[in-house]
Amino acid sequence: MSFRLPHRHRWSNLLATMSEELSTTAATVATTTTSTTVTRPSSSKSLWPSVLRWIPTSTDHIIESEKRLLSSIKTPYKQEQVNIGSGPPGSKVRWFRSTSDEARFINTVTFDSKEDSPTLVMIHGYGASQGFFFRNFDTLAKHFRVIAIDQLGWGGSSRPDFTCKSTEETEAWFIDSFEEWRRAKNLSNFVLLGHSFGGYVAAKYALKHPEHIKHLILVGSVGFTSEEDSKSERLIRFATTWKGAVLKHLWESNFTPQKLVRGFGPFGPNMVRKYTSARFGSYSTGQVLTPEESRLLTDYVYHTLVAKASGELCLKYIFAFGAFARVPLLKSASEWKVPTTFIYGYDDWMSYEGAEKARKDMKVPCEIIRIPEGGHFAFIDNPTGFHNAVLYGCRGFLPREQDNDSLPEGLISV
């Protein structure tokens, strides 16, 4: 997927989309018959009432707003904090530089499913959380044992100090913490789905640990091409302007959308509300959020955005200015060992052309599906189309149904 600049406002569009991912960060943990297992000690509470704080939030706010967002989900589920230890055993690259042996935790929800259903693990995008998939859990749980996580440093997971200094360390932060989570959950032979930056992490994980993955689903995945591959004259010209110079400086300084929201302090909630109401309401490419969905999503998004900066600081180490991958997936296409389904919204700002280029070098089955009335968050914009695309991509190992091998109506095969 190319991160091409379609016009001079592309960088701001990128920040907006990240804010979408940050923004939609929502909910994956509450249901009528919810079972909760939390072993992480609760954080100390501030002496100041939240209404008097510059940033009125806390870890408790994140968890409670997450539960409220998921309260509409009918499928029973279990929420737990999975202990992944203090660092990868035997690895010279740690998730954080610290003399502390404090354990870290991955916030996880597992939905009830039919016996012997294949396992589907879902990874959110940049700055988001598992709750992004709140419109998808009920339907997918009818076919899979669905497990969704908050990546290390985001959502309700631990947020250690982010002190990575290179692309290698930053990738290890996400890949190795996910592997420790997998080991703790004793999972294997599962379907791995990642959205946007989560797609990049899922692909990198599958390249390192293909033996655990049955099928890979990359939804609007970033990171396939580098700046050199793109040869974007528009970006080059923009970078020479004063605006381009300022934005490039902000990028290299690791300025993130979350920092902007934090800076607005008590005005941040209204700022987020205006964004979610516009992106998933008046400017939605598909099925708009109901007023209640919008209210609950906005509340959760705000609390996850302004929490301690951690995983969000990966940005400049993974991508160069313009969001081109520093270690692009396209260069690893010939090493792909896991059958893959690429899914894109028809109006996704992330181009599917990078996947087309990668497919030419892949030696495993690979297909590309586009979803109508869907943008970068196609699973929110057009849930039905997204569900059909996932089920079609996994048709080889799901129970056979009538016309199981036919591309569902409305979907486009590239």
Side-chain angles (χ1 to χ4, degrees):
M1 281 130 269
S2 169
F3 266 100
R4 300 178 308 183
L5 276 176
H7 48 67
R8 62 190 178 89
H9 298 302
R10 184 184 180 296
W11 197 85
S12 59
N13 281 350
L14 171 69
L15 286 181
T17 302
M18 290 173 187
S19 296
E20 294 180 32
E21 300 185 3
L22 306 169
S23 278
T24 329
T25 301
T28 310
V29 194
T31 288
T32 52
T33 55
T34 302
S35 168
T36 303
T37 303
V38 181
T39 55
R40 178 169 62 182
S42 59
S43 57
S44 58
K45 295 184 178 181
S46 170
L47 295 177
W48 291 93
S50 62
V51 70
L52 298 180
R53 299 179 208 153
W54 179 250
I55 301 177
T57 192
S58 67
T59 302
D60 292 339
H61 279 84
I62 294 177
I63 299 302
E64 290 306 312
S65 59
E66 182 179 66
K67 289 180 179 179
R68 288 191 294 270
L69 180 59
L70 292 186
S71 63
S72 63
I73 296 173
K74 298 179 176 60
T75 307
Y77 69 89
K78 173 184 178 181
Q79 184 267 339
E80 60 184 328
Q81 295 285 349
V82 178
N83 189 333
I84 60 170
S86 59
S91 174
K92 296 180 180 179
V93 180
R94 296 180 62 81
W95 305 321
F96 53 94
R97 295 184 174 90
S98 172
T99 57
S100 170
D101 290 328
E102 178 184 355
R104 306 297 173 174
F105 298 82
I106 296 296
N107 191 32
T108 305
V109 291
T110 304
F111 291 84
D112 287 0
S113 61
K114 297 178 182 178
E115 189 175 355
D116 298 328
S117 295
T119 297
L120 171 66
V121 176
M122 307 178 76
I123 303 180
H124 61 79
Y126 178 86
S129 79
Q130 53 190 316
F132 263 85
F133 303 109
F134 74 103
R135 279 186 159 183
N136 314 120
F137 291 135
D138 276 334
T139 297
L140 293 179
K142 295 176 182 177
H143 305 273
F144 301 93
R145 177 193 178 207
V146 176
I147 305 177
I149 68 166
D150 289 337
Q151 296 192 71
L152 183 65
W154 277 322
S157 292
S158 295
R159 294 182 178 235
D161 294 339
F162 189 88
T163 51
C164 297
K165 301 298 182 183
S166 67
T167 300
E168 177 192 15
E169 287 188 358
T170 304
E171 289 186 352
W173 166 290
F174 296 106
I175 296 170
D176 291 350
S177 61
F178 182 81
E179 170 60 7
E180 288 307 302
W181 172 85
R182 183 205 64 80
R183 286 160 56 95
K185 293 291 290 181
N186 193 28
L187 295 177
S188 191
N189 197 35
F190 57 91
V191 180
L192 181 59
L193 182 152
H195 170 243
S196 197
F197 174 69
Y200 178 87
V201 173
K204 289 284 185 174
Y205 177 84
L207 284 165
K208 186 174 181 179
H209 299 285
E211 68 277 10
H212 301 307
I213 310 301
K214 177 198 292 281
H215 193 82
L216 185 63
I217 302 176
L218 304 181
V219 184
S221 180
V222 303
F224 270 83
T225 56
S226 66
E227 186 174 0
E228 292 73 22
D229 295 327
S230 175
K231 297 182 177 63
S232 172
E233 294 182 5
R234 190 184 299 272
L235 174 62
I236 294 173
R237 289 198 304 270
F238 178 71
T240 61
T241 66
W242 71 268
K243 290 182 180 180
V246 169
L247 291 177
K248 185 173 183 178
H249 175 73
L250 290 173
W251 186 283
E252 295 299 334
S253 300
N254 232 353
F255 182 84
T256 65
Q258 296 95 321
K259 291 182 179 179
L260 182 64
V261 180
R262 292 186 191 105
F264 276 84
F267 303 101
N270 191 50
M271 181 182 182
V272 173
R273 180 188 62 77
K274 289 182 178 179
Y275 171 77
T276 53
S277 297
R279 169 57 184 86
F280 299 106
S282 54
Y283 292 104
S284 174
T285 56
Q287 181 183 334
V288 301
L289 295 180
T290 66
E292 182 67 2
E293 286 177 324
S294 182
R295 183 184 68 82
L296 293 174
L297 181 59
T298 296
D299 181 48
Y300 184 69
V301 167
Y302 170 74
H303 290 299
T304 56
L305 285 179
V306 298
K308 175 185 174 181
S310 182
E312 73 189 66
L313 300 176
C314 71
L315 197 58
K316 77 170 186 177
Y317 297 106
I318 299 294
F319 303 111
F321 175 64
F324 295 104
R326 297 189 185 277
V327 184
L329 291 166
L330 185 59
K331 295 183 178 180
S332 302
S334 62
E335 304 169 24
W336 228 260
K337 294 181 175 63
V338 179
T340 302
T341 298
F342 292 93
I343 298 176
Y344 295 89
Y346 194 81
D347 298 312
D348 197 334
W349 64 267
M350 178 54 56
S351 172
Y352 63 88
E353 294 174 355
E356 278 192 301
K357 293 178 182 178
R359 180 168 59 180
K360 295 176 181 178
D361 294 328
M362 289 183 180
K363 301 177 178 63
V364 295
C366 169
E367 57 191 349
I368 303 171
I369 300 173
R370 300 180 71 191
I371 301 174
E373 298 183 345
H376 193 55
F377 294 96
F379 46 88
I380 294 177
D381 298 325
N382 185 351
T384 299
F386 173 73
H387 301 151
N388 287 339
V390 170
L391 296 178
Y392 181 75
C394 298
R395 63 193 180 280
F397 48 86
L398 289 175
R400 294 190 62 82
E401 299 177 2
Q402 187 176 5
D403 296 328
N404 204 19
D405 294 328
S406 299
L407 186 69
E409 184 178 356
L411 300 184
I412 301 168
S413 178
V414 177

